[in-house]
Amino acid sequence: MDKLQKKQAGLRRRHRRVRGKISGTPTRPRLCVTRSNNNIYAQVIDDVAHRTLCAASTLGPDFKAADVSGATVEGAAVLGGIIGKKALEAGVTEVVFDRGGHLYHGRVKALADAAREAGLKF
């Protein structure tokens, strides 16, 4: 295994461990964050009904209007505000946070804090 394969295997292992402990319900869906080097994606998912209630990413038109790079902490904060507003419009007020195996630091933390400021309860 080379260095990249080990890193990806560790990420998959951590995400599997997190997903074993949390699950989205109709009353409290899961806010799933996926992060790459260039972009961030966030979805609010009801795991019981297997439905995505709302989604936002740094590639979407809402984010493009903000004129911020998606690979930065500031971009993650803008995306957190967008997903928070979309979730409230969909009728979701409480979520469980799925950090996707990533550390709760940097862009992941900025997204979560901005979603809280937008009105979501974790």
Side-chain angles (χ1 to χ4, degrees):
M1 267 188 166
D2 66 347
K3 189 175 181 180
L4 180 62
Q5 288 175 330
K6 284 183 181 180
K7 189 173 184 177
Q8 290 171 340
L11 181 68
R12 282 193 304 270
R13 186 174 56 247
R14 285 188 303 274
H15 192 201
R16 192 170 50 243
R17 185 171 58 233
V18 169
R19 286 287 292 124
K21 297 175 184 176
I22 65 169
S23 180
T25 63
T27 57
R28 194 165 178 182
R30 174 172 57 103
L31 174 58
C32 179
V33 176
T34 305
R35 179 180 66 80
S36 71
N37 286 340
N38 297 325
N39 294 296
I40 303 173
Y41 311 87
Q43 297 178 330
V44 177
I45 303 169
D46 177 5
D47 290 318
V48 175
H50 305 289
R51 284 188 49 228
T52 299
L53 304 176
C54 63
S57 76
T58 54
L59 298 173
D62 297 337
F63 184 81
K64 298 280 185 185
D67 196 35
V68 182
S69 173
T72 62
V73 173
E74 293 83 19
V78 171
L79 185 65
I82 292 170
I83 194 69
K85 289 175 189 171
K86 283 188 174 186
L88 291 175
E89 289 172 4
V92 176
T93 57
E94 290 189 13
V95 294
V96 291
F97 189 66
D98 178 7
R99 58 188 172 86
H102 297 286
L103 291 175
Y104 186 76
H105 176 75
R107 290 183 280 165
V108 176
K109 184 177 187 289
L111 188 143
D113 290 341
R116 279 190 190 101
E117 288 176 12
L120 285 181
K121 293 180 185 173
F122 286 40

